[in-house]
Amino acid sequence: MDFAGVWKHAKSDGHEDYGLLVSEPARKYAIIKELDEPVTLKDGTTVLQFEVRLQNGLECGGAYLKYIRPQEAGWDAKEFDNETPYTIMFGPDKCGSTNKVHFILKHKNPKTGKYVEHHLKSPPSVPYDKLSHVYTAILKPNNEVTILVDGEKKKEANFLSADDFEPALIPSKTIPDPDDKKPEDWDERAKIPDPDAVKPDDWDEDAPMEIVDEEATKPEGWLDDEPEEIDDPEASKPEDWDDEEDGEWEAPKIDNPKCEEAPGCGEWKKPMKANPAYKGKWRAPLIDNPNYKGIWKPQEIPNPEYFELDKPDFDPIAAVGIEIWTMQDGILFDNILIADDEKVANSILEKTWKPKYQVEKEKEKAEEAAAAGADGLSDIQKKIFDVLYKVADVPFLAPYKSKIIDVIEKGEKQPNLTIGVLVSIAVVIVTVLFKILFGGKKPVAPVKPATEVKKPKATTEMADAGSSGDKEENEDEKETAAPRRRSRRVD
């Protein structure tokens, strides 16, 4: 794959702070920094955190990080691409109907030795503005993972819960028998035509659906001798018209103005009406099928890939990489951190991200105030859209999230549609609630680039560190020992 995108060490717009910049649109980008020592995820708390600013927005692309597991001997970091095996992929991704903060774990099945991608269900959506945002994933020893955006909790999940990850980390105990076949005499028809039914003698299958209304009379004032269209009296033959080459010129037709005031023009014909004798093709009524056996399903057999697990068997993190394909430039990464203490991560957030965000937010408000007018959003409309984005994150609306986000974004571009947007989303919510209360499938309920790498107390060098797509990778990898844990940060 051609990763021709050029990374730049550049300032964030409006700040003196530098970051790793995606400098060109419509390019594939890849960069990686190997850690001095791999970081183990099996014991204690691990915090993954980084900042990203979408300075030109994000219409189609990713802005996520890949936390790379140890590679085979002889592997060169220059070989890093979209096929490089990772342990965790985390961060924003938006394109078309996709709008989410990814959290994907690649976990090795101890029975098969294959790695499987496990995607967090109902992840939070990507902030829609062009401000700096900080993304945090906290992996806890009780098998829980918490996703925060700007320090605010957006999602909690349990690695071992089938309700939180797709596919589930622990496979089902049984699977449908792939060799089981439906018997030839198995009847799945709940209803069948009544074999004893007979078509009535007076049933006329040839009777037409419509017949002429013989009782209809021609409306008074109907102009029988007037055509519906006449030659345009104001039209004239073009001067360059050649009858020999172009043929005889004919004036274009226009609607006959006399017909506009009359009930109609031209030959009057009696209209058609529904035929009371029409019955259509006769079909025997349906009755319960005495041979009905239900919908056939193969028998369940023990799943050969099933295993039990008390805790995920995380692979260590040996490197941090960014591998994205984006249609936008101006994506700026900064302050990449791996820590074993939530307080350290929060301290970095408060010291590095929050001051920048506040400056950017004030600038945004000033620009909005200046632009408020015919095409701008009022303060009230802005608050309404902020609330609607939060509504889109409600778990039971997950199947409709992309459509809701699309409607909100259209409303922001056309402020006069605000009321229509509110009505549209209200209709969606009422529809979903109706299905939940009175029938229908219920949604699944949620269960509860070069810069410097720094540890909380020590320092080590690390390069600064969207969418290439999610691919499930099955491969055998050698077991790698997990050394002692260390906290690292990329500014």
Side-chain angles (χ1 to χ4, degrees):
M1 183 171 285
D2 183 18
F3 290 90
V6 177
W7 294 98
K8 290 186 178 180
H9 189 226
K11 289 183 181 180
S12 177
D13 184 27
H15 304 290
E16 292 301 314
D17 189 35
Y18 283 79
L20 187 58
L21 178 70
V22 170
S23 63
E24 299 174 297
R27 293 285 188 273
K28 296 174 183 177
Y29 290 80
I31 192 169
I32 190 171
K33 171 61 182 179
E34 294 182 276
L35 305 183
D36 293 337
E37 294 182 6
V39 176
T40 181
L41 306 177
K42 293 184 179 180
D43 301 309
T45 296
T46 299
V47 183
L48 309 177
Q49 182 171 285
F50 68 98
E51 291 178 29
V52 67
R53 185 180 183 187
L54 310 173
Q55 299 179 109
N56 296 326
L58 187 63
E59 293 297 326
C60 188
Y64 45 76
L65 267 58
K66 288 185 175 181
Y67 298 88
I68 310 302
R69 68 175 183 251
Q71 306 297 301
E72 294 182 350
W75 182 80
D76 190 337
K78 295 179 181 180
E79 300 174 7
F80 175 62
D81 60 14
N82 61 306
E83 299 293 336
T84 303
Y86 61 85
T87 295
I88 290 172
M89 189 174 105
F90 173 52
D93 187 20
K94 184 179 179 182
C95 193
S97 62
T98 298
N99 184 336
K100 56 187 172 184
V101 179
H102 277 298
F103 186 90
I104 305 173
L105 168 67
K106 277 197 174 182
H107 190 267
K108 187 177 182 178
N109 184 311
K111 284 286 188 71
T112 66
K114 296 179 180 179
Y115 282 87
V116 179
E117 284 186 1
H118 303 277
H119 295 241
L120 178 66
K121 291 183 179 179
S122 301
S125 58
V126 181
Y128 60 91
D129 55 36
K130 300 177 182 180
L131 310 182
S132 297
H133 293 284
V134 58
Y135 298 89
T136 309
I138 305 173
L139 287 68
K140 300 179 181 179
N142 62 353
N143 298 332
E144 291 186 353
V145 57
T146 303
I147 307 299
L148 300 90
V149 178
D150 298 343
E152 181 181 344
K153 186 185 298 181
K154 295 293 185 179
K155 177 74 175 182
E156 281 187 313
N158 190 297
F159 283 111
L160 303 187
S161 172
D163 292 328
D164 291 338
F165 282 87
E166 175 64 36
L169 206 67
I170 301 177
S172 58
K173 289 186 177 182
T174 62
I175 59 171
D177 185 355
D179 297 324
D180 195 10
K181 305 297 180 184
K182 181 173 71 174
E184 293 183 0
D185 60 348
W186 191 281
D187 198 336
E188 295 182 335
R189 300 172 300 162
K191 299 282 186 178
I192 60 172
D194 185 353
D196 297 326
V198 179
K199 183 175 71 173
D201 293 336
D202 61 349
W203 192 287
D204 185 0
E205 292 185 341
D206 298 324
M209 185 180 295
E210 291 183 330
I211 58 174
V212 175
D213 185 358
E214 298 294 348
E215 297 179 357
T217 58
K218 182 170 65 176
E220 184 178 352
W222 189 279
L223 305 178
D224 297 84
D225 299 328
E226 288 289 341
E228 294 183 359
E229 292 184 334
I230 61 173
D231 292 343
D232 185 352
E234 298 181 1
S236 60
K237 183 168 71 172
E239 294 181 0
D240 59 350
W241 188 276
D242 189 323
D243 289 337
E244 293 184 359
E245 293 185 4
D246 303 325
E248 182 181 356
W249 181 81
E250 294 181 356
K253 298 291 185 180
I254 62 171
D255 291 335
N256 189 342
K258 294 182 180 180
C259 299
E260 294 179 2
E261 300 176 357
C265 291
E267 181 186 359
W268 181 81
K269 295 180 180 180
K270 291 185 178 182
M272 305 295 287
K273 69 174 184 179
N275 183 2
Y278 173 75
K279 293 185 178 182
K281 185 176 179 60
W282 181 84
R283 291 181 175 83
L286 298 179
I287 62 172
D288 291 335
N289 183 1
N291 297 320
Y292 176 65
K293 295 183 178 181
I295 303 301
W296 182 86
K297 294 180 181 180
Q299 64 177 341
E300 294 285 318
I301 61 172
N303 185 357
E305 298 185 1
Y306 171 76
F307 61 89
E308 294 183 353
L309 197 67
D310 293 327
K311 299 184 67 174
D313 187 17
F314 297 108
D315 281 331
I317 296 174
V320 178
I322 307 176
E323 178 274 306
I324 57 177
W325 184 3
T326 179
M327 295 297 107
Q328 273 70 49
D329 58 356
I331 302 175
L332 191 79
F333 294 88
D334 199 5
N335 296 319
I336 299 172
L337 172 73
I338 301 177
D340 56 9
D341 190 336
E342 295 179 47
K343 294 181 180 179
V344 171
N346 189 64
S347 174
I348 296 297
L349 180 151
E350 292 287 336
K351 292 178 181 179
T352 63
W353 167 78
K354 197 167 187 178
K356 289 188 294 186
Y357 179 79
Q358 291 173 340
V359 170
E360 294 164 8
K361 193 66 177 176
E362 289 302 317
K363 182 181 179 181
E364 181 187 57
K365 289 181 180 179
E367 292 174 347
E368 289 176 351
D375 298 323
L377 290 175
S378 67
D379 290 338
I380 294 178
Q381 286 174 316
K382 185 66 176 177
K383 291 179 181 179
I384 290 174
F385 287 119
D386 287 341
V387 172
L388 292 179
Y389 275 105
K390 293 181 180 179
V391 170
D393 282 330
V394 175
F396 78 84
L397 293 176
Y400 309 90
K401 182 175 179 178
S402 62
K403 294 183 179 179
I404 294 176
I405 293 294
D406 184 56
V407 171
I408 297 173
E409 290 178 342
K410 289 181 179 178
E412 287 180 311
K413 295 176 182 178
Q414 303 179 59
N416 58 307
L417 299 180
T418 303
I419 300 300
V421 171
L422 286 171
V423 172
S424 298
I425 294 177
V427 170
V428 171
I429 294 175
V430 171
T431 301
V432 174
L433 288 174
F434 185 86
K435 289 182 178 180
I436 293 175
L437 295 174
F438 301 104
K441 184 176 181 181
K442 298 182 181 180
V444 178
V447 179
K448 301 192 170 178
T451 59
E452 181 183 10
V453 181
K454 298 180 181 179
K455 298 176 289 184
K457 297 182 180 179
T459 304
T460 180
E461 287 292 320
M462 178 175 180
D464 288 333
S467 303
S468 58
D470 303 330
K471 300 179 181 178
E472 179 168 322
E473 174 184 328
N474 296 325
E475 57 186 355
D476 295 328
E477 295 289 333
K478 296 183 178 179
E479 292 290 342
T480 306
R484 58 194 176 90
R485 301 166 52 77
R486 293 194 178 185
S487 300
R488 293 174 171 77
R489 169 189 167 199
V490 178
D491 289 323

